[in-house]
Structures are given as C-alpha cells and as structure tokens.
Amino acid sequence: MGIKWDEFFVTGDPLIFASQIGIALTLVGALAGLTYFKKWNYLWSEWFTTVDHKKIGIMYILVGVVMFLRGGIDGLMMKGQTAVPENDFLNAQHYNEVFTTHGVIMILFVAMPLLIGLMNFVIPLQIGARDVAFPQLNALSFWLTVSGAALFNISFIIGGSPDAGWTSYFPLAGKEFSPGIGNNFYAVALQIAGAGTLMTGINFVVTVLKMRTKGMTLMKMPMFTWTSFITSIIIVASFPIFTVALALMTFDRTFGTHFFTISGGGMDMLWANLFWLWGHPEVYIVVLPAFGMLSDIISTFARKTLYGYKSMVISIVMISVLSMLVWVHHFFTMGNSAGVNSFFSITTMAIAIPTGVKVFNWLFTMRKGRIKFTTAMLWALAFVPNFVIGGVTGVMLAMAAADYQYHNTLFLVAHFHYVLIPGVVFPIFAGLYFWWPKMFGYMLNEKIGKWHFWLFVVGFNVTFMPMFFLGLDGAVRRAYTYSAETGFGPLMMISAVGSVILAAGFAALVYNIYWSARNADRNIGNDPWDARTLEWATATPVQHYNFASLPEVTKLDAFWHMKKNNQLQPLSEDEIEEIHLPSNTWIPIYMGVVFGISGFLLVFEWTIAAGVAAIGILAGLAFRSFDYDEGFHVHKDEIFETESKWRKGANKGVKNHVS
Amino acid sequence: MSAKVNAALPLEYQTEQNRMNILGFWVFLGAEIVLFATLFGVYGVLGERYAGGPTQKDIFIVKDVMIQTFLLLTSSFTMGISIFEMRRSNIKGMLMWLVFTLLLGGGFLFMEIREFMHYVHEGATMQTSAFLSSFFVLLGTHGLHVTIGIGWAILLIVQIVQRGLTPVTARKAFIFGLYWHFLDVVWIFIFTFVYLQGLVM
Ligand code: HEM
Ligand SMILES: [Cu+2]
C-alpha cells in the first residue's frame, strides 16, 4: 500500500550514509565472528532463551549501555551544531530528528532498561527469592523492549527518523504536518517496548508481594526493593494511558481518524494531556528506583542503617500519588484557566516536600558515619548537590506565572538534565559499580572509576550550567541555530566543550569495563563492600539458583545483622534440598521477532501484511498456552558441590579493594 | 516455584505458582481498567464533536443494543456456572457451560459486527468525526477483547479435554473466568455511558 521503495533507505545525507555503511560492516563482522568462534549455540542456550532474572538483568543493562552510546552521540551532535552561531553541520530537519531520537532513546531505551536491568538482577536476591514471579514473562518483557528499541533505531537508515520531539505534540506529529513515516516509528516502536514495560511492572508487583523470604515483612524490605515496588505500581497505573495515546496516534496517522487532528472535531490538546498523564509519572518511574539504589548504597558506605526508614517509605508513596496529579505543569502556557494552573502549580511544588525529606534522610544517614569513598559512594555524594540544583529550578518552573518566562527555553532543558542526569544516571553508575562484583565476580577498577566520575561530573556541569543562563537570556530549545548578535556564542561554546568532557567520562566507563574484564582480581569473596542486604549473602557471581536454602530475616539490613550476630551458619549436607527451576524457552525471543516484523510493516502502513504477520504473534501465544514444561530440578550433589566451593574459600585470601 | 500442594484449597489455589498467577492477573486487570478508563475519558471528551456528521441519536438502534447486552450478560452468568461446576469437579458440566459461554460471546460479536457494518453503510465511519473515531475505537477495543477471549476459551477447552482438571487447567479456567466477567463489567459501562446516555442526550 503505497510504499515508496525509492524512499525506503534514507539517502542523500553523507552522515547517514556513513552510518549505514558502518552498521552494515558491524553486522557482518558480528555475524562472521559468532560463526567463526562457534558461539551461536552458547548465545542461544545461555542468553537468548534464558529465563534467569540475573541474565535478563545483565542483557537489559547491555541494551542500556549501547543505547547510551547512540543517545549520547545524538547529544554531542546537537552540541556540535550549536557550538558556534550560524553553524551548518546539521540542518533544521536533521536537528529536529536528532533531538527527537535523543530524548526518546535516553528516557525509554537508556534510563528504563538500565534501571529495569538492575531491578531484575537485584530485587529477587534482595528479597531472598530464586527468581521473579513469572520468569518467562520476564524474558518476554525483555525481548519486547529489544524489539521496540531495534525498530526505533533503524528509523534513521530506513524510512526516516521521527522529528516531532520526544513529546510528539499534535498537530505537528499528525499526518498533515509530518507526512513521512518517521513518526510512525515513534508510535509503533514505543507501543511494543511499552507492552514489555507494563509486563515488567506486573511481574515485580507480584514478585515483591509474594516472593519475599520468611520474615521479610514489608517494613523490613531494603529501600531499593521498596522503590522498585512502588515504581512497578506506577508502571501498571500509567503505561496503559500511553498505550491508548500511541494507539490513537497510530489510528490518526494511518487510518485517518480524528482524535488529535483538528479537522473532524479532534482535539490536539487531548494528546498533550494523555501524553503527560503518562509522561510525568514516567519521570518518577525512572527516578524512584534510582533513589532506592542510592539509599542502599549510602547506608552501605556510611556503614549505618538508613536514617528515617519509615519516612522514606511514606515519602515514596506520597511521591507516587502526587506524580499522577501534576501533569498540566508541562503546558501551563497552552491556554488553561488561572484556577487550573494554580492547582497544578501547588501539586507540583508539593512534590518538593517528600523529595526534600528524602534528601535530608540521606544526609542524616551520612552524618557521623564512617564514610568509605568508593566510586559508588562518590556518585551518591555528587548526586545530592547536583540534584538539588535540578529540584530548585524545578520549583521555579512550577510557578505557572513565572513559567511564561522560562518555558520552551534552554532553562528548561538545563533543569530536566539536572534532574535526569544526577537523579537517574549518577545512581545508575553508582549501582553498576556497586553490584558489578555480584554480577560478574570481579570489581570495576576504582582508579579508572574515579576518572570516569570526575570527568563525567565536571563535564556534566560545564555542559548544562550555561544552559540555565542561555535560557534566561531567551535562547529557545529545539532551535538548530542562532545568529551571532544574540550573544549566545560564548556560553554555547563552553557548553559544547563540556559535552566533550562528559563524553570522555563515558569513554572512561567503557574502558573500565574492558580493563576490568581482562585484569581485575577474581578472588573477591562474596561480600566485598561489607554490605547489608541479602544479595551479598550468597556466592559471587551468583549461582543460578541464587540461594541453596532461602535465608530467614528478622531485621532490616538482614545480612548485616547475620554477620554481626554470627548467624551465618555453614550449610550442612542434610539441609540441602532439590531446587526447582523453570526451563529455558524460545517463545519470548520469537515473540520479539514477530512483534518487530509486524510493527515494521505497520510503520510502513502496509496494514494487511502487518495483520498477516500478527498471526505469528497469536501463534506464539497459543504455543505458550500449550507449553506444559514443568521446569527441572537441580540435584543435591550439584548444589552441595557449588556451595562448598564458594563457602570454603569465602573469605580467605580475599583482596579487599576498598578499605 | 515450589510444587507444594495445599489440598484444602480449591484446585486453582493449591500451588504457590497458581496463587501468584491469579494475583498477577488481577494486577493485569488493574492495568486494563486504566486502559478502558482512558478510552472512556477520550470518548467523554470527543463524544459530542460531530463535525456535521451523525449524532448518537441518528445511528443507535436500541433493539440491537439490547440484544447484545442480553447475550453478553447471560454469557457472564454461564461462565459463572462453568466455574461452579469446576469446583464440583464436574468436567462435563464445566465444559458444557463453557461452550454456552462461547456461543453467547460469538452471538454478541456477530451482533456487534453487524451493528458496525450498518453504521458504515449509513456513512458513519471512524473517519467521519471525532465522535465516531472515539466510539469505534472504544467499542472496537472491547470487541477485540471478546474476540481474543473466544480464541482463548477454545484453547482452554482443548486443554481441559486433553488433560482433565488439574491445578494448572483449573487455574487457567478460573483466570479466563475473571477476564470474561471483566469484559462484562466494561460492557455495562459502555451500555450506560455510550448507548443510554447517547439516547437521552
Ligand atoms: C549525555 C549527555 C547529554 C547531552 C550532551 C544532552 C544534550 C541535549 C541537548 C543539546 C538537547 C536539546 C536541546 C534543544 O532543545 O535544542 C537535549 C534534549 C533532551 N535530552 Fe539530553 N543530553 C544528554 C543526556 C540526556 C539524558 C541522560 C537524558 C534522559 C535520561 C536526556 C533527555 C533529554 C530529553 C528528554 C530531551 C528533550 C528532547 C526534545 O526536545 O524532544 N538527555 N539533550
Ligand atoms: Cu512533569
């Protein structure tokens, strides 16, 4: 149906042509390499078909890191373009595409996969469980995320990128003003990935409610578990709204309905409302788990129980409720009545209260603690002042009247990067340094880690601090260029230099991963940080069944108290029982593929073919329904062997890298 | 993951995994409520934007809607009996009522498709106005759920015939029951806020 084959591949832009060649070569190289080293079987049976929450978590993290490269390059391209006035590195259209893909990728394919990856790896261990409630569904969530990410990313070489901003407001995003298929990629790819996220939410709600080990009451859960639980609830409550919004967008663009298009009685503001009804909770979906990780990391390295545990829990619950009641602050200037604006101003400012409580709790946790300045802790420390800048400017933006001044300027762009980078990316880095040894059995190098830290934090501030002032001077966001007379040049240049430092910081992380994988010490014991929660009570890296016998909890910071009170008994042979685990399955990855194919056809508005491909989806569901695989049992001998291996050597000759 | 069985409970609640699946499905229904609530909200916003096209009064046919309502409500009732028979371990009765449920669901779907074709015939399509866009998508989403439910029930019947009543098949049937009742509840809202309200407006 009307595919213009000559427009199938994006042509005519040397930058894109170079990436097309680059991607083709990388693909061929990867396929050849896998074949040559005979790794296909290993990949398939150990990773692609796995239902193990730890491996799924690691794959999520891999996706997040790779997407960070893509999103980061988009960011650098924008900074390169605006570094000097009247630059012509990117034209207006290309700039539109780049900030759109940057925003979408950073939020949905960087922040979300990295956080969900860490949740996947850590939560079952923290609550003393052997897996999540629905391991196969978990794999399906992951493959749908991959499918959505892949579909979204091919847009710039096949068919054209979306270009209406990550918010994709109507009427701009409608057929009339965006006639190409670029914005279909937005609607369809996010739909697929969003379905995966929704299932993750359901999975973790049930996991936390039902799979906690004996004695772990709700108020004895580690803070990361608490925040992930609340996050999952927000996911379940808000993602369906996005599902509907994207579906209606698809209907408008592909089937000519009138939801958001002005003709025929549609309402463009309906899109803005639906988008932010999901979109604001979404920013709490990414920030809350990050808060939880910080809580656990700060209490570990301050070597104290988290201060004000109860008020922390109350705060996150309050934040989750308020997060649903503030969405209009994203369009104060789009013709609401004064009463409506005032209401949403106040709810928005109210969020500062529970958030402030949390910040003070972290500070009090550190007070009089014997702080260990590990790289993980440095990220947590840097979080506080940087995030406060984001928060304070957020309260400034919350005043509806004042927002008429700042809105749509680089001030806003600076604000949300000061929230998202210190509030999400710093904690993710902290979490990676902290849990890396649990995942892989070696630590990331602390010295390179400090390079990573300083370059990134300094680069971040140099990049985004000038944007506040540029914004106040009237530099609008999403503008691809400006004239010399505006006087924006010098600050724009400083900001661009900052982004190069920032990129160097990220490169240090990538180098650190490479270096540590090759050279880091493998003999680190099971508890290298002297930590407090249950994930450290088992082997490093974690054996596939997590715990030989499920631990019993009596207090908050369970593992810490076990260590204190010498309750870490050696496991005797007769305590060991067979362990039941679910089998691998090919269905989730298959579903990812058919969703991808069907989605791709839908993007090209080839609706009949998309429908035919969707039969593949139904077939997958039917296969799953008839799949009565009971899983398998891990035998006692195997458990005994694994357990004695790590327990014997547990803390002998361990090189403690921190003290 | 534990295979411990608590025989004091109804079949579908006997294993821990079953209890988790059922809770998980409730959470999923929570998401479904948000989904339909959003669609109702959209209909609430756009429902009177006719763009010169037909209004509710112009197109709705009371008799057909009443038949649809009757079919779907009855099917919810037969679904309930089917689960009741399952609890009494009467496979035959269970299957029979499940088949009734299916037939009634199929009848509903037939009537709904006929209704839609009638509208389209009269020139009231999804592309005519914002009202009709939101009407068709809300109703269509519900109808799609019914269609999926019918496919699901067929798979379920095959499995019960193959395997008899086990904790797993009982759980699947129970969850399907929840789903089917939920669709009924959604229909009651559609009936009230779309059809009734549209006719008295
Ligand atoms: C890594 C370094 C980063 C750099 C250099 C960077 C740079 C930029 C720039 C230059 C813009 C567009 C400014 C304009 O409107 O002209 C932008 C927009 C944006 N960035 Fe970033 N950014 C970075 C990281 C992130 C991260 C980590 C996130 C989220 C987790 C993020 C989310 C966004 C969003 C949502 C937009 C708005 C896109 C739109 O206008 O539709 N960025 N960024
Ligand atoms: Cu917001």
Side-chain angles (χ1 to χ4, degrees), chain A residues 489-501:
Chain A
L491 282 178
M492 284 287 201
M493 180 47 100
I494 293 177
S495 169
V497 171
S499 67
V500 175
I501 305 175

Side-chain angles (χ1 to χ4, degrees), chain B residues 145-161:
Chain B
H145 275 75
V146 175
T147 315
I148 291 174
I150 290 174
W152 182 359
I154 293 172
L155 297 182
L156 192 64
I157 291 172
V158 174
Q159 287 171 41
I160 295 170
V161 170

Side-chain angles (χ1 to χ4, degrees), chain A residues 48-244:
Chain A
F48 289 174
T49 58
T50 188
V51 293
D52 180 338
H53 71 99
K54 301 181 288 296
K55 287 182 176 166
I56 291 175
I58 289 169
M59 290 193 290
Y60 263 118
I61 290 170
L62 182 68
V63 170
V65 170
V66 171
M67 286 293 106
F68 205 140
L69 281 172
R70 158 86 209 262
I73 289 172
D74 282 346
L76 287 178
M77 283 166 68
M78 287 187 283
K79 291 280 81 182
Q81 163 62 21
T82 54
V84 290
E86 317 269 14
N87 199 2
D88 58 4
F89 166 56
L90 302 177
N91 60 27
Q93 173 59 23
H94 201 165
Y95 194 85
N96 291 349
E97 292 174 4
V98 171
F99 71 66
T100 303
T101 52
H102 166 79
V104 171
I105 286 177
M106 282 296 192
I107 301 236
L108 288 150
F109 298 127
V110 175
M112 298 286 288
L114 285 171
L115 289 167
I116 290 179
L118 284 162
M119 270 164 67
N120 252 297
F121 185 86
V122 176
I123 300 301
L125 293 168
Q126 270 196 341
I127 61 174
R130 294 222 164 91
D131 208 317
V132 293
F134 313 117
Q136 302 205 347
L137 189 71
N138 198 23
L140 177 61
S141 292
F142 171 72
W143 288 108
L144 290 185
T145 306
V146 173
S147 180
L151 192 56
F152 192 81
N153 272 280
I154 57 168
S155 67
F156 85 108
I157 46 171
I158 296 177
S161 295
D163 56 2
W166 92 282
T167 49
S168 280
Y169 280 160
F170 278 78
L172 176 60
K175 222 20 185 210
E176 197 183 346
F177 297 100
S178 299
I181 58 153
N183 279 303
N184 294 349
F185 275 110
Y186 176 98
V188 177
L190 298 193
Q191 188 71 281
I192 295 173
T197 308
L198 177 62
M199 289 179 225
T200 300
I202 296 172
N203 213 335
F204 276 86
V205 170
V206 179
T207 303
V208 173
L209 283 178
K210 285 279 196 181
M211 312 252 314
R212 278 167 292 135
T213 189
K214 215 167 155 197
M216 184 175 281
T217 57
L218 286 179
M219 293 309 272
K220 291 193 183 97
M221 296 197 305
M223 200 39 77
F224 183 34
T225 303
W226 251 115
T227 54
S228 299
F229 175 54
I230 299 291
T231 301
S232 306
I233 293 176
I234 308 181
I235 288 177
V236 174
S238 67
F239 262 78
I241 305 176
F242 198 39
T243 303
V244 171

Side-chain angles (χ1 to χ4, degrees), chain B residues 2 7 14 17 38 43 47 49 58-59 86 88-89 97-98 104 108-109 135 142 149 154 163 165 171-172 195:
Chain B
S2 81
Q14 283 182 0
Q17 187 65 46
T38 312
Y43 180 79
R49 295 175 152 251
D58 298 334
I59 54 172
M86 179 180 96
R88 300 199 319 172
S89 308
W97 289 104
L98 204 52
L104 289 165
F108 165 85
L109 212 57
F135 171 82
H142 177 265
I154 293 172
R163 294 165 184 271
L165 264 186
R171 179 248 294 164
K172 287 187 174 187
Y195 287 110

